[in-house]
Coordinates of all heavy atoms in Angstrom, one line a residue:
M1 N -5.5 25.3 -9.3 CA -4.1 24.8 -9.7 C -3.5 24.2 -8.5 O -3.7 24.7 -7.3 CB -3.3 26.0 -10.1 CG -2.3 25.9 -11.1 SD -2.2 25.0 -12.6 CE -2.7 26.0 -13.9
A2 N -2.9 23.1 -8.6 CA -2.1 22.4 -7.5 C -0.7 22.2 -8.0 O -0.4 22.2 -9.2 CB -2.8 21.1 -7.1
T3 N 0.2 21.8 -7.0 CA 1.6 21.5 -7.3 C 1.9 20.1 -6.9 O 1.6 19.6 -5.9 CB 2.4 22.5 -6.5 OG1 2.1 23.8 -6.8 CG2 4.0 22.2 -6.8
C4 N 2.6 19.5 -7.9 CA 3.1 18.0 -7.6 C 4.1 18.1 -6.6 O 5.1 18.7 -6.7 CB 3.5 17.5 -8.9 SG 4.2 15.8 -8.7
P5 N 3.9 17.3 -5.5 CA 4.9 17.2 -4.4 C 6.2 16.6 -4.8 O 7.3 16.8 -4.2 CB 4.2 16.5 -3.3 CG 3.1 15.7 -4.0 CD 2.8 16.5 -5.2
E6 N 6.2 15.8 -5.9 CA 7.4 15.1 -6.4 C 8.3 16.0 -7.3 O 9.5 16.0 -7.2 CB 7.0 13.8 -7.1 CG 6.3 12.8 -6.3 CD 7.2 12.3 -5.1 OE1 8.3 11.9 -5.5 OE2 6.7 12.1 -4.0
C7 N 7.6 16.6 -8.3 CA 8.4 17.4 -9.3 C 8.1 18.9 -9.3 O 8.7 19.5 -10.1 CB 8.2 16.7 -10.7 SG 6.6 17.1 -11.3
D8 N 7.3 19.4 -8.5 CA 6.9 20.8 -8.4 C 6.2 21.3 -9.6 O 6.1 22.5 -9.8 CB 8.0 21.6 -8.0 CG 8.5 21.4 -6.6 OD1 7.8 21.1 -5.7 OD2 9.7 21.4 -6.4
A9 N 5.7 20.4 -10.5 CA 5.0 20.9 -11.7 C 3.6 21.4 -11.2 O 2.9 20.9 -10.3 CB 4.8 19.7 -12.7
E10 N 3.1 22.4 -12.0 CA 1.8 22.9 -11.7 C 0.8 21.9 -12.4 O 0.9 21.6 -13.6 CB 1.7 24.3 -12.3 CG 2.4 25.3 -11.6 CD 1.8 25.6 -10.2 OE1 0.6 25.6 -9.9 OE2 2.7 25.8 -9.2
I11 N -0.2 21.5 -11.7 CA -1.2 20.5 -12.2 C -2.5 21.2 -12.2 O -3.0 21.7 -11.1 CB -1.2 19.2 -11.4 CG1 0.1 18.6 -11.3 CG2 -2.3 18.3 -12.0 CD1 0.2 17.4 -10.4
E12 N -3.2 21.3 -13.3 CA -4.5 21.9 -13.4 C -5.5 20.8 -13.0 O -5.7 19.8 -13.7 CB -4.8 22.4 -14.9 CG -6.0 23.2 -14.9 CD -6.1 23.9 -16.3 OE1 -5.2 24.1 -17.0 OE2 -7.3 24.2 -16.7
V13 N -6.2 21.2 -11.9 CA -7.2 20.2 -11.4 C -8.4 21.1 -11.1 O -8.3 22.1 -10.4 CB -6.7 19.6 -10.1 CG1 -7.8 18.6 -9.6 CG2 -5.4 18.7 -10.4
D14 N -9.5 20.6 -11.6 CA -10.8 21.4 -11.3 C -11.3 21.0 -9.9 O -11.6 19.8 -9.6 CB -11.9 21.0 -12.3 CG -13.2 21.8 -12.2 OD1 -13.3 22.6 -11.2 OD2 -14.0 21.7 -13.1
E15 N -11.2 21.9 -9.0 CA -11.6 21.7 -7.6 C -13.0 21.1 -7.4 O -13.3 20.4 -6.4 CB -11.5 22.9 -6.8 CG -10.0 23.5 -6.7 CD -9.9 24.8 -5.9 OE1 -10.8 25.2 -5.3 OE2 -8.9 25.4 -6.1
F16 N -13.9 21.4 -8.4 CA -15.2 20.8 -8.3 C -15.4 19.5 -8.7 O -16.4 18.8 -8.5 CB -16.2 21.9 -9.0 CG -16.2 23.2 -8.4 CD1 -15.5 24.2 -9.1 CD2 -16.8 23.5 -7.2 CE1 -15.5 25.5 -8.6 CE2 -16.8 24.8 -6.8 CZ -16.1 25.7 -7.4
D17 N -14.3 18.9 -9.4 CA -14.4 17.6 -10.0 C -13.7 16.5 -9.1 O -13.7 15.3 -9.4 CB -13.8 17.6 -11.4 CG -14.7 18.2 -12.5 OD1 -15.9 18.3 -12.2 OD2 -14.2 18.5 -13.5
V18 N -13.0 16.9 -8.0 CA -12.3 16.0 -7.2 C -12.8 16.1 -5.7 O -13.4 17.1 -5.3 CB -10.8 16.2 -7.2 CG1 -10.2 16.0 -8.6 CG2 -10.4 17.7 -6.8
D19 N -12.6 15.0 -5.1 CA -13.0 14.9 -3.7 C -11.7 14.5 -2.9 O -10.8 13.9 -3.5 CB -14.1 13.9 -3.3 CG -15.4 14.3 -4.0 OD1 -15.8 15.4 -3.8 OD2 -16.1 13.4 -4.6
K20 N -11.7 14.8 -1.6 CA -10.7 14.4 -0.8 C -10.5 12.9 -0.9 O -11.4 12.1 -0.8 CB -10.8 14.9 0.7 CG -9.6 14.6 1.5 CD -9.9 15.2 2.9 CE -8.7 14.8 3.8 NZ -8.9 15.4 5.1
G21 N -9.2 12.4 -1.1 CA -9.0 11.0 -1.3 C -9.0 10.5 -2.6 O -8.5 9.3 -2.9
D22 N -9.3 11.3 -3.6 CA -9.2 10.9 -5.0 C -7.8 10.8 -5.4 O -6.9 11.5 -5.0 CB -10.0 11.9 -5.9 CG -11.4 11.8 -5.9 OD1 -12.0 10.9 -5.2 OD2 -12.2 12.7 -6.5
L23 N -7.6 9.8 -6.4 CA -6.2 9.6 -6.9 C -6.1 10.3 -8.3 O -7.0 10.0 -9.1 CB -5.9 8.2 -6.9 CG -5.8 7.5 -5.6 CD1 -5.6 6.0 -5.8 CD2 -4.8 8.0 -4.7
I24 N -5.0 10.9 -8.5 CA -4.7 11.5 -9.9 C -3.2 11.2 -10.2 O -2.5 10.8 -9.3 CB -5.0 12.9 -9.9 CG1 -4.2 13.8 -9.0 CG2 -6.5 13.2 -9.7 CD1 -4.3 15.2 -9.2
S25 N -2.9 11.3 -11.4 CA -1.5 11.2 -11.8 C -0.9 12.5 -12.3 O -1.6 13.2 -13.1 CB -1.5 10.1 -12.9 OG -0.2 9.9 -13.3
C26 N 0.4 12.7 -11.9 CA 1.0 13.9 -12.5 C 1.3 13.7 -13.9 O 2.0 12.8 -14.3 CB 2.3 14.2 -11.6 SG 3.3 15.5 -12.3
P27 N 0.9 14.7 -14.8 CA 1.2 14.5 -16.3 C 2.7 14.7 -16.6 O 3.2 14.2 -17.5 CB 0.4 15.6 -16.9 CG 0.0 16.6 -15.7 CD 0.1 15.9 -14.5
D28 N 3.5 15.3 -15.6 CA 4.9 15.5 -15.9 C 5.7 14.4 -15.6 O 6.6 13.9 -16.3 CB 5.3 16.8 -15.2 CG 4.9 18.1 -16.0 OD1 4.2 18.0 -17.0 OD2 5.2 19.2 -15.4
C29 N 5.7 14.0 -14.3 CA 6.5 12.9 -13.8 C 5.8 11.5 -13.6 O 6.5 10.5 -13.4 CB 7.1 13.3 -12.4 SG 6.0 13.3 -11.0
G30 N 4.5 11.5 -13.8 CA 3.8 10.2 -13.7 C 3.5 9.7 -12.3 O 3.0 8.6 -12.1
S31 N 3.9 10.5 -11.2 CA 3.6 10.1 -9.8 C 2.2 10.0 -9.6 O 1.4 10.8 -10.1 CB 4.2 11.1 -8.9 OG 5.6 11.1 -9.0
N32 N 1.8 9.0 -8.7 CA 0.5 8.8 -8.3 C 0.2 9.7 -7.1 O 1.0 9.8 -6.1 CB 0.1 7.3 -7.8 CG 0.2 6.5 -9.0 OD1 -0.4 6.8 -10.1 ND2 0.6 5.2 -8.8
L33 N -0.8 10.6 -7.1 CA -1.0 11.6 -6.1 C -2.5 11.4 -5.6 O -3.4 11.0 -6.3 CB -0.9 13.0 -6.8 CG 0.4 13.2 -7.5 CD1 0.4 14.6 -8.2 CD2 1.6 13.2 -6.5
E34 N -2.6 11.8 -4.3 CA -3.9 11.7 -3.6 C -4.3 13.1 -3.3 O -3.5 13.9 -2.7 CB -3.8 10.8 -2.4 CG -5.1 10.7 -1.7 CD -5.1 9.8 -0.5 OE1 -4.0 9.3 -0.2 OE2 -6.1 9.7 0.2
V35 N -5.5 13.5 -3.4 CA -6.1 14.7 -3.1 C -6.2 14.8 -1.5 O -7.0 13.9 -0.9 CB -7.4 15.1 -3.7 CG1 -8.0 16.4 -3.2 CG2 -7.3 15.1 -5.2
S36 N -5.4 15.5 -0.8 CA -5.4 15.6 0.6 C -6.2 16.6 1.2 O -6.6 16.6 2.3 CB -3.9 15.6 1.2 OG -3.3 16.8 0.7
S37 N -6.4 17.7 0.4 CA -7.2 18.8 0.8 C -7.9 19.4 -0.3 O -7.4 19.6 -1.4 CB -6.3 19.8 1.6 OG -7.1 21.0 1.8
I38 N -9.2 19.9 -0.1 CA -9.9 20.6 -1.2 C -9.7 22.0 -1.2 O -9.6 22.7 -2.2 CB -11.4 20.2 -1.2 CG1 -11.6 18.7 -1.3 CG2 -12.3 20.9 -2.2 CD1 -11.4 18.2 -2.6
A39 N -9.8 22.7 0.0 CA -9.7 24.1 0.1 C -8.6 24.5 1.1 O -8.9 24.4 2.3 CB -11.0 24.8 0.5
P40 N -7.4 24.8 0.8 CA -6.9 24.9 -0.6 C -6.6 23.5 -1.2 O -6.4 22.5 -0.4 CB -5.7 25.7 -0.5 CG -5.1 25.3 0.8 CD -6.4 25.1 1.7
L41 N -6.6 23.4 -2.5 CA -6.3 22.2 -3.1 C -4.9 21.7 -2.9 O -4.0 22.4 -3.3 CB -6.7 22.2 -4.6 CG -6.4 20.9 -5.4 CD1 -7.5 19.8 -5.0 CD2 -6.7 21.2 -6.9
E42 N -4.7 20.6 -2.3 CA -3.3 20.1 -2.0 C -3.3 18.6 -2.4 O -4.2 17.8 -2.3 CB -3.0 20.2 -0.6 CG -2.9 21.7 -0.1 CD -2.5 21.8 1.3 OE1 -2.3 20.8 2.1 OE2 -2.4 23.0 1.8
L43 N -2.1 18.2 -2.9 CA -1.9 16.8 -3.3 C -0.7 16.3 -2.5 O 0.2 16.9 -2.1 CB -1.5 16.8 -4.8 CG -2.5 17.4 -5.7 CD1 -1.9 17.5 -7.2 CD2 -3.8 16.7 -5.8
E44 N -0.8 14.9 -2.2 CA 0.3 14.2 -1.6 C 0.6 13.1 -2.5 O -0.2 12.4 -3.1 CB -0.2 13.7 -0.2 CG -0.4 14.7 0.8 CD -0.8 14.1 2.2 OE1 -0.8 12.8 2.3 OE2 -1.1 14.8 3.1
A45 N 2.0 12.6 -2.4 CA 2.4 11.5 -3.2 C 1.9 10.3 -2.5 O 1.8 10.1 -1.3 CB 3.9 11.6 -3.2
V46 N 1.5 9.4 -3.4 CA 1.0 8.0 -2.8 C 2.2 7.1 -2.8 O 2.8 6.9 -3.9 CB -0.2 7.5 -3.6 CG1 -0.6 6.0 -3.1 CG2 -1.4 8.4 -3.5
D47 N 2.6 6.4 -1.7 CA 3.6 5.5 -1.7 C 3.1 4.2 -2.3 O 2.3 3.5 -1.7 CB 4.1 5.3 -0.2 CG 5.3 4.4 -0.1 OD1 5.9 4.0 -1.2 OD2 5.7 4.0 1.0
E48 N 3.5 3.8 -3.4 CA 3.1 2.6 -4.1 C 3.5 1.3 -3.5 O 2.9 0.3 -3.6 CB 3.7 2.5 -5.6 CG 3.1 3.8 -6.4 CD 3.7 3.9 -7.8 OE1 4.3 2.8 -8.2 OE2 3.6 4.9 -8.4
D49 N 4.5 1.4 -2.6 CA 5.0 0.2 -1.9 C 4.1 -0.1 -0.6 O 4.3 -1.2 -0.1 CB 6.5 0.4 -1.4 CG 7.4 0.5 -2.6 OD1 7.1 0.0 -3.6 OD2 8.5 1.0 -2.4
E50 N 3.3 0.7 -0.3 CA 2.5 0.4 0.9 C 1.7 -0.9 0.8 O 1.6 -1.7 1.6 CB 1.5 1.6 1.3 CG 2.2 2.7 1.9 CD 1.3 3.9 2.3 OE1 0.0 3.7 2.2 OE2 1.8 5.0 2.6
D51 N 0.9 -1.0 -0.4 CA 0.1 -2.2 -0.6 C 1.0 -3.4 -0.7 O 0.6 -4.4 -0.2 CB -0.7 -2.0 -1.9 CG -1.7 -1.0 -1.8 OD1 -2.1 -0.7 -0.7 OD2 -2.1 -0.4 -2.8
D52 N 2.2 -3.3 -1.3 CA 3.1 -4.4 -1.4 C 3.6 -4.8 0.0 O 3.8 -6.1 0.2 CB 4.3 -4.0 -2.3 CG 3.9 -3.8 -3.8 OD1 2.8 -4.3 -4.2 OD2 4.7 -3.2 -4.5
D53 N 3.9 -3.9 0.8 CA 4.4 -4.1 2.2 C 3.3 -5.0 2.9 O 3.7 -6.0 3.6 CB 4.8 -3.0 2.9 CG 6.0 -2.3 2.4 OD1 6.8 -3.0 1.7 OD2 6.3 -1.1 2.8
D54 N 2.1 -4.6 2.8 CA 1.0 -5.3 3.5 C 0.9 -6.8 3.0 O 0.7 -7.7 3.7 CB -0.3 -4.6 3.3 CG -0.4 -3.3 4.0 OD1 0.5 -3.0 4.9 OD2 -1.3 -2.5 3.6
D55 N 1.1 -6.9 1.7 CA 1.1 -8.3 1.1 C 2.2 -9.1 1.6 O 2.1 -10.3 1.9 CB 1.1 -8.2 -0.4 CG -0.2 -7.7 -1.1 OD1 -1.3 -7.6 -0.3 OD2 -0.2 -7.2 -2.2
D56 N 3.4 -8.5 1.7 CA 4.6 -9.2 2.2 C 4.4 -9.7 3.7 O 4.8 -10.8 4.0 CB 5.9 -8.3 2.1 CG 6.3 -8.1 0.6 OD1 5.7 -8.9 -0.3 OD2 7.0 -7.1 0.4
D57 N 3.8 -8.8 4.4 CA 3.5 -9.1 5.8 C 2.6 -10.3 6.0 O 2.8 -11.2 6.8 CB 3.0 -7.9 6.6 CG 4.0 -6.8 6.8 OD1 5.2 -7.1 6.6 OD2 3.5 -5.7 7.1
D58 N 1.5 -10.3 5.1 CA 0.6 -11.4 5.2 C 1.2 -12.7 4.8 O 1.0 -13.7 5.3 CB -0.6 -11.1 4.2 CG -1.5 -10.0 4.6 OD1 -1.4 -9.6 5.8 OD2 -2.3 -9.4 3.8
E59 N 2.1 -12.7 3.7 CA 2.7 -13.9 3.3 C 3.7 -14.4 4.4 O 3.8 -15.6 4.6 CB 3.6 -13.6 2.0 CG 2.7 -13.4 0.8 CD 3.5 -13.0 -0.4 OE1 4.8 -13.1 -0.4 OE2 2.9 -12.6 -1.4
K60 N 4.3 -13.5 5.2 CA 5.3 -13.9 6.2 C 4.5 -14.6 7.3 O 4.8 -15.7 7.8 CB 6.0 -12.7 6.7 CG 7.1 -13.1 7.8 CD 7.9 -11.9 8.2 CE 9.0 -12.3 9.1 NZ 8.8 -12.6 10.4
E61 N 3.3 -14.0 7.7 CA 2.5 -14.6 8.7 C 2.0 -16.0 8.3 O 2.0 -17.0 9.0 CB 1.2 -13.8 9.0 CG 1.6 -12.4 9.7 CD 0.4 -11.5 9.9 OE1 -0.7 -12.0 9.6 OE2 0.7 -10.4 10.2
D62 N 1.6 -16.2 7.0 CA 1.3 -17.5 6.5 C 2.4 -18.4 6.5 O 2.2 -19.7 6.9 CB 0.7 -17.4 5.0 CG -0.6 -16.6 4.9 OD1 -1.3 -16.4 5.9 OD2 -0.9 -16.2 3.7
D63 N 3.6 -18.1 6.2 CA 4.7 -18.9 6.2 C 5.0 -19.3 7.7 O 5.3 -20.6 8.0 CB 5.9 -18.3 5.7 CG 5.9 -18.1 4.2 OD1 5.1 -18.8 3.6 OD2 6.6 -17.3 3.7
D64 N 4.8 -18.5 8.6 CA 5.0 -18.8 10.1 C 4.0 -19.8 10.5 O 4.4 -20.7 11.2 CB 4.9 -17.5 10.9 CG 6.1 -16.6 10.7 OD1 7.1 -17.1 10.1 OD2 6.0 -15.4 11.1
L65 N 2.8 -19.7 10.0 CA 1.8 -20.6 10.4 C 2.0 -22.0 9.8 O 1.8 -23.0 10.5 CB 0.3 -20.1 10.0 CG -0.2 -18.9 10.7 CD1 -1.5 -18.4 10.0 CD2 -0.4 -19.2 12.2
D66 N 2.5 -22.0 8.6 CA 2.9 -23.2 7.9 C 4.0 -24.0 8.7 O 4.0 -25.2 8.8 CB 3.3 -23.0 6.5 CG 2.0 -22.7 5.6 OD1 0.9 -22.9 6.0 OD2 2.3 -22.1 4.5
D67 N 5.0 -23.2 9.1 CA 6.1 -23.8 9.9 C 5.6 -24.4 11.1 O 6.1 -25.4 11.6 CB 7.2 -22.6 10.1 CG 8.0 -22.3 8.8 OD1 7.7 -23.0 7.8 OD2 8.5 -21.2 8.9
A68 N 4.7 -23.7 11.9 CA 4.1 -24.2 13.1 C 3.4 -25.5 12.8 O 3.5 -26.5 13.6 CB 3.3 -23.1 13.8
D69 N 2.7 -25.6 11.8 CA 1.9 -26.7 11.4 C 2.8 -27.9 11.2 O 2.6 -29.1 11.6 CB 1.0 -26.6 10.3 CG -0.2 -25.7 10.6 OD1 -0.5 -25.5 11.8 OD2 -0.8 -25.1 9.6
D70 N 3.9 -27.7 10.5 CA 4.9 -28.6 10.1 C 5.6 -29.2 11.4 O 5.8 -30.4 11.5 CB 5.9 -28.1 9.2 CG 5.5 -27.8 7.8 OD1 4.4 -28.3 7.5 OD2 6.2 -27.1 7.0
A71 N 5.8 -28.3 12.3 CA 6.4 -28.7 13.6 C 5.5 -29.7 14.3 O 5.9 -30.7 14.9 CB 6.8 -27.5 14.5
D72 N 4.2 -29.4 14.4 CA 3.2 -30.3 15.0 C 3.2 -31.5 14.3 O 3.0 -32.6 15.0 CB 1.8 -29.5 14.9 CG 1.7 -28.4 15.9 OD1 2.6 -28.2 16.8 OD2 0.8 -27.5 15.7
D73 N 3.2 -31.6 13.0 CA 3.2 -32.8 12.2 C 4.4 -33.7 12.6 O 4.3 -34.9 12.7 CB 3.2 -32.5 10.7 CG 1.9 -31.9 10.2 OD1 0.9 -31.9 11.1 OD2 1.8 -31.4 9.1
D74 N 5.6 -33.1 12.8 CA 6.8 -33.8 13.0 C 6.7 -34.5 14.4 O 7.1 -35.6 14.6 CB 8.0 -32.9 13.1 CG 8.3 -32.4 11.6 OD1 7.9 -33.1 10.7 OD2 9.0 -31.4 11.5
D75 N 6.0 -33.8 15.4 CA 5.9 -34.4 16.8 C 5.0 -35.6 16.8 O 5.3 -36.6 17.4 CB 5.3 -33.4 17.7 CG 6.3 -32.2 18.0 OD1 7.5 -32.3 17.7 OD2 5.9 -31.1 18.3
T76 N 3.9 -35.5 15.9 CA 3.0 -36.6 15.8 C 3.6 -37.8 15.2 O 3.4 -38.9 15.6 CB 1.8 -36.2 14.9 OG1 1.2 -35.0 15.5 CG2 0.7 -37.3 14.9
T77 N 4.5 -37.6 14.2 CA 5.1 -38.7 13.6 C 6.1 -39.4 14.5 O 6.2 -40.6 14.5 CB 6.0 -38.2 12.3 OG1 5.0 -37.5 11.5 CG2 6.6 -39.3 11.6
E78 N 6.9 -38.6 15.3 CA 7.7 -39.3 16.3 C 7.1 -40.1 17.3 O 7.5 -41.1 17.7 CB 8.6 -38.1 17.0 CG 9.5 -37.5 16.0 CD 10.2 -36.3 16.7 OE1 10.2 -36.2 17.9 OE2 11.0 -35.5 16.0
D79 N 5.8 -39.7 17.8 CA 5.0 -40.4 18.7 C 4.6 -41.7 18.2 O 4.6 -42.7 18.9 CB 3.8 -39.6 19.1 CG 4.2 -38.3 20.0 OD1 5.3 -38.3 20.4 OD2 3.3 -37.4 20.0
L80 N 4.2 -41.8 16.8 CA 3.9 -43.0 16.3 C 5.0 -44.0 16.2 O 4.8 -45.3 16.2 CB 3.3 -42.8 14.9 CG 1.9 -42.0 14.8 CD1 1.6 -41.7 13.4 CD2 0.8 -42.8 15.6
D81 N 6.2 -43.5 16.0 CA 7.4 -44.3 15.8 C 7.8 -45.1 17.1 O 8.4 -46.2 17.1 CB 8.6 -43.6 15.3 CG 8.4 -43.2 13.8 OD1 7.5 -43.8 13.2 OD2 9.0 -42.2 13.3
E82 N 7.4 -44.4 18.2 CA 7.8 -45.0 19.5 C 6.8 -46.0 20.0 O 6.4 -46.9 20.1 CB 7.8 -43.9 20.6 CG 8.9 -42.9 20.3 CD 8.8 -41.6 21.3 OE1 8.2 -41.8 22.4 OE2 9.4 -40.7 21.0

């Protein structure tokens, strides 16, 4: 038996059917949980925004690179006009 860290509900999990790092869902509150320890069986809440934050960082880096490319293009255009 394990306890949901979000709602404190008792969750019946067969210790022999899970491995450390496995993801499960709390049947009471629906939180995504990760098995953080097998003996004793412990669960941690998974922050769903972590993946989204990584994607946002990648998009920001791409935008910065695009801006740098645009700046280089502007300099080249000015040189041709002179």
Side-chain angles (χ1 to χ4, degrees):
M1 209 37 99
T3 302
C4 175
E6 296 293 316
C7 69
D8 293 326
E10 292 291 323
I11 302 173
E12 189 171 335
V13 179
D14 187 351
E15 296 176 15
F16 299 106
D17 285 341
V18 295
D19 291 318
K20 186 174 179 179
D22 284 355
L23 298 176
I24 62 173
S25 180
C26 175
D28 286 357
C29 70
S31 294
N32 291 322
L33 307 171
E34 180 178 3
V35 177
S36 59
S37 174
I38 299 291
L41 185 62
E42 294 180 4
L43 305 172
E44 288 183 4
V46 176
D47 186 9
E48 296 176 15
D49 294 336
E50 283 182 14
D51 293 334
D52 294 338
D53 289 345
D54 292 342
D55 293 341
D56 293 342
D57 291 342
D58 292 342
E59 289 176 12
K60 184 175 191 281
E61 289 174 13
D62 290 344
D63 290 344
D64 291 343
L65 291 174
D66 289 343
D67 291 343
D69 289 344
D70 291 343
D72 291 341
D73 292 343
D74 292 343
D75 292 340
T76 306
T77 305
E78 290 175 14
D79 291 341
L80 293 175
D81 291 339
E82 293 177 14

